[in-house]
PDB file of all heavy atoms in Angstrom:
ATOM      1  N   TRP A  44     171.814  94.185 166.938  1.00 95.00           N
ATOM      2  CA  TRP A  44     171.839  95.298 165.978  1.00 95.00           C
ATOM      3  C   TRP A  44     172.108  94.800 164.556  1.00 95.00           C
ATOM      4  O   TRP A  44     171.766  95.507 163.586  1.00 95.00           O
ATOM      5  CB  TRP A  44     172.878  96.337 166.421  1.00 95.00           C
ATOM      6  CG  TRP A  44     172.421  97.097 167.580  1.00 95.00           C
ATOM      7  CD1 TRP A  44     172.860  96.995 168.866  1.00 95.00           C
ATOM      8  CD2 TRP A  44     171.348  98.014 167.653  1.00 95.00           C
ATOM      9  NE1 TRP A  44     172.124  97.775 169.711  1.00 95.00           N
ATOM     10  CE2 TRP A  44     171.182  98.479 168.971  1.00 95.00           C
ATOM     11  CE3 TRP A  44     170.451  98.515 166.706  1.00 95.00           C
ATOM     12  CZ2 TRP A  44     170.242  99.352 169.398  1.00 95.00           C
ATOM     13  CZ3 TRP A  44     169.514  99.471 167.080  1.00 95.00           C
ATOM     14  CH2 TRP A  44     169.401  99.898 168.409  1.00 95.00           C
ATOM     15  N   TRP A  45     172.672  93.629 164.413  1.00 94.00           N
ATOM     16  CA  TRP A  45     172.832  93.078 163.015  1.00 94.00           C
ATOM     17  C   TRP A  45     171.473  92.835 162.428  1.00 94.00           C
ATOM     18  O   TRP A  45     171.235  93.121 161.201  1.00 94.00           O
ATOM     19  CB  TRP A  45     173.648  91.781 163.053  1.00 94.00           C
ATOM     20  CG  TRP A  45     175.109  91.989 163.205  1.00 94.00           C
ATOM     21  CD1 TRP A  45     175.837  91.780 164.327  1.00 94.00           C
ATOM     22  CD2 TRP A  45     175.988  92.496 162.205  1.00 94.00           C
ATOM     23  NE1 TRP A  45     177.147  92.104 164.119  1.00 94.00           N
ATOM     24  CE2 TRP A  45     177.288  92.557 162.817  1.00 94.00           C
ATOM     25  CE3 TRP A  45     175.881  92.910 160.940  1.00 94.00           C
ATOM     26  CZ2 TRP A  45     178.407  92.995 162.110  1.00 94.00           C
ATOM     27  CZ3 TRP A  45     176.967  93.369 160.224  1.00 94.00           C
ATOM     28  CH2 TRP A  45     178.217  93.405 160.841  1.00 94.00           C
ATOM     29  N   SER A  46     170.542  92.283 163.168  1.00 94.00           N
ATOM     30  CA  SER A  46     169.198  92.075 162.672  1.00 94.00           C
ATOM     31  C   SER A  46     168.463  93.386 162.341  1.00 94.00           C
ATOM     32  O   SER A  46     167.773  93.495 161.338  1.00 94.00           O
ATOM     33  CB  SER A  46     168.374  91.268 163.673  1.00 94.00           C
ATOM     34  OG  SER A  46     168.957  90.031 163.900  1.00 94.00           O
ATOM     35  N   VAL A  47     168.647  94.394 163.211  1.00 97.00           N
ATOM     36  CA  VAL A  47     168.037  95.673 163.021  1.00 97.00           C
ATOM     37  C   VAL A  47     168.595  96.298 161.709  1.00 97.00           C
ATOM     38  O   VAL A  47     167.828  96.817 160.885  1.00 97.00           O
ATOM     39  CB  VAL A  47     168.193  96.577 164.237  1.00 97.00           C
ATOM     40  CG1 VAL A  47     167.707  97.977 163.973  1.00 97.00           C
ATOM     41  CG2 VAL A  47     167.543  95.975 165.452  1.00 97.00           C
ATOM     42  N   GLY A  48     169.869  96.294 161.618  1.00 97.00           N
ATOM     43  CA  GLY A  48     170.518  96.841 160.421  1.00 97.00           C
ATOM     44  C   GLY A  48     170.100  96.123 159.140  1.00 97.00           C
ATOM     45  O   GLY A  48     169.885  96.776 158.100  1.00 97.00           O
ATOM     46  N   ALA A  49     170.023  94.786 159.173  1.00 97.00           N
ATOM     47  CA  ALA A  49     169.595  94.034 158.009  1.00 97.00           C
ATOM     48  C   ALA A  49     168.172  94.418 157.618  1.00 97.00           C
ATOM     49  O   ALA A  49     167.871  94.514 156.433  1.00 97.00           O
ATOM     50  CB  ALA A  49     169.747  92.533 158.260  1.00 97.00           C
ATOM     51  N   PHE A  50     167.291  94.569 158.598  1.00 98.00           N
ATOM     52  CA  PHE A  50     165.928  94.979 158.327  1.00 98.00           C
ATOM     53  C   PHE A  50     165.856  96.333 157.634  1.00 98.00           C
ATOM     54  O   PHE A  50     165.144  96.517 156.654  1.00 98.00           O
ATOM     55  CB  PHE A  50     165.071  94.991 159.583  1.00 98.00           C
ATOM     56  CG  PHE A  50     163.713  95.500 159.417  1.00 98.00           C
ATOM     57  CD1 PHE A  50     162.687  94.732 158.859  1.00 98.00           C
ATOM     58  CD2 PHE A  50     163.402  96.826 159.732  1.00 98.00           C
ATOM     59  CE1 PHE A  50     161.422  95.235 158.658  1.00 98.00           C
ATOM     60  CE2 PHE A  50     162.152  97.353 159.570  1.00 98.00           C
ATOM     61  CZ  PHE A  50     161.122  96.541 159.018  1.00 98.00           C
ATOM     62  N   ILE A  51     166.639  97.230 158.147  1.00 98.00           N
ATOM     63  CA  ILE A  51     166.633  98.605 157.539  1.00 98.00           C
ATOM     64  C   ILE A  51     167.182  98.575 156.142  1.00 98.00           C
ATOM     65  O   ILE A  51     166.614  99.219 155.229  1.00 98.00           O
ATOM     66  CB  ILE A  51     167.499  99.547 158.494  1.00 98.00           C
ATOM     67  CG1 ILE A  51     166.732  99.801 159.793  1.00 98.00           C
ATOM     68  CG2 ILE A  51     167.745 100.899 157.776  1.00 98.00           C
ATOM     69  CD1 ILE A  51     167.527 100.547 160.828  1.00 98.00           C
ATOM     70  N   VAL A  52     168.251  97.821 155.909  1.00 98.00           N
ATOM     71  CA  VAL A  52     168.817  97.746 154.561  1.00 98.00           C
ATOM     72  C   VAL A  52     167.807  97.138 153.564  1.00 98.00           C
ATOM     73  O   VAL A  52     167.664  97.603 152.472  1.00 98.00           O
ATOM     74  CB  VAL A  52     170.133  96.973 154.570  1.00 98.00           C
ATOM     75  CG1 VAL A  52     170.615  96.612 153.188  1.00 98.00           C
ATOM     76  CG2 VAL A  52     171.191  97.780 155.324  1.00 98.00           C
ATOM     77  N   VAL A  53     167.185  96.052 154.007  1.00 98.00           N
ATOM     78  CA  VAL A  53     166.230  95.358 153.097  1.00 98.00           C
ATOM     79  C   VAL A  53     165.021  96.266 152.848  1.00 98.00           C
ATOM     80  O   VAL A  53     164.534  96.402 151.710  1.00 98.00           O
ATOM     81  CB  VAL A  53     165.791  93.993 153.716  1.00 98.00           C
ATOM     82  CG1 VAL A  53     164.590  93.396 152.938  1.00 98.00           C
ATOM     83  CG2 VAL A  53     166.991  93.052 153.688  1.00 98.00           C
ATOM     84  N   ALA A  54     164.478  96.919 153.914  1.00 98.00           N
ATOM     85  CA  ALA A  54     163.361  97.821 153.710  1.00 98.00           C
ATOM     86  C   ALA A  54     163.731  98.978 152.801  1.00 98.00           C
ATOM     87  O   ALA A  54     162.921  99.361 151.910  1.00 98.00           O
ATOM     88  CB  ALA A  54     162.878  98.324 155.074  1.00 98.00           C
ATOM     89  N   ALA A  55     164.906  99.543 152.984  1.00 97.00           N
ATOM     90  CA  ALA A  55     165.321 100.635 152.087  1.00 97.00           C
ATOM     91  C   ALA A  55     165.483 100.155 150.692  1.00 97.00           C
ATOM     92  O   ALA A  55     165.113 100.876 149.712  1.00 97.00           O
ATOM     93  CB  ALA A  55     166.631 101.263 152.596  1.00 97.00           C
ATOM     94  N   GLY A  56     166.010  98.948 150.470  1.00 96.00           N
ATOM     95  CA  GLY A  56     166.149  98.398 149.137  1.00 96.00           C
ATOM     96  C   GLY A  56     164.803  98.253 148.473  1.00 96.00           C
ATOM     97  O   GLY A  56     164.655  98.464 147.255  1.00 96.00           O
ATOM     98  N   ILE A  57     163.837  97.726 149.267  1.00 96.00           N
ATOM     99  CA  ILE A  57     162.468  97.557 148.680  1.00 96.00           C
ATOM    100  C   ILE A  57     161.845  98.911 148.292  1.00 96.00           C
ATOM    101  O   ILE A  57     161.260  99.027 147.223  1.00 96.00           O
ATOM    102  CB  ILE A  57     161.594  96.780 149.663  1.00 96.00           C
ATOM    103  CG1 ILE A  57     162.064  95.314 149.805  1.00 96.00           C
ATOM    104  CG2 ILE A  57     160.130  96.860 149.243  1.00 96.00           C
ATOM    105  CD1 ILE A  57     161.433  94.587 150.918  1.00 96.00           C
ATOM    106  N   LEU A  58     161.983  99.905 149.186  1.00 95.00           N
ATOM    107  CA  LEU A  58     161.437 101.210 148.907  1.00 95.00           C
ATOM    108  C   LEU A  58     162.106 101.846 147.693  1.00 95.00           C
ATOM    109  O   LEU A  58     161.443 102.444 146.819  1.00 95.00           O
ATOM    110  CB  LEU A  58     161.533 102.104 150.125  1.00 95.00           C
ATOM    111  CG  LEU A  58     160.621 101.713 151.290  1.00 95.00           C
ATOM    112  CD1 LEU A  58     160.954 102.608 152.509  1.00 95.00           C
ATOM    113  CD2 LEU A  58     159.190 101.826 150.888  1.00 95.00           C
TER     114      LEU A  58
END
Side-chain angles (χ1 to χ4, degrees):
W44 288 107
W45 283 107
S46 299
V47 173
F50 173 79
I51 291 172
V52 168
V53 170
I57 290 171
L58 291 175

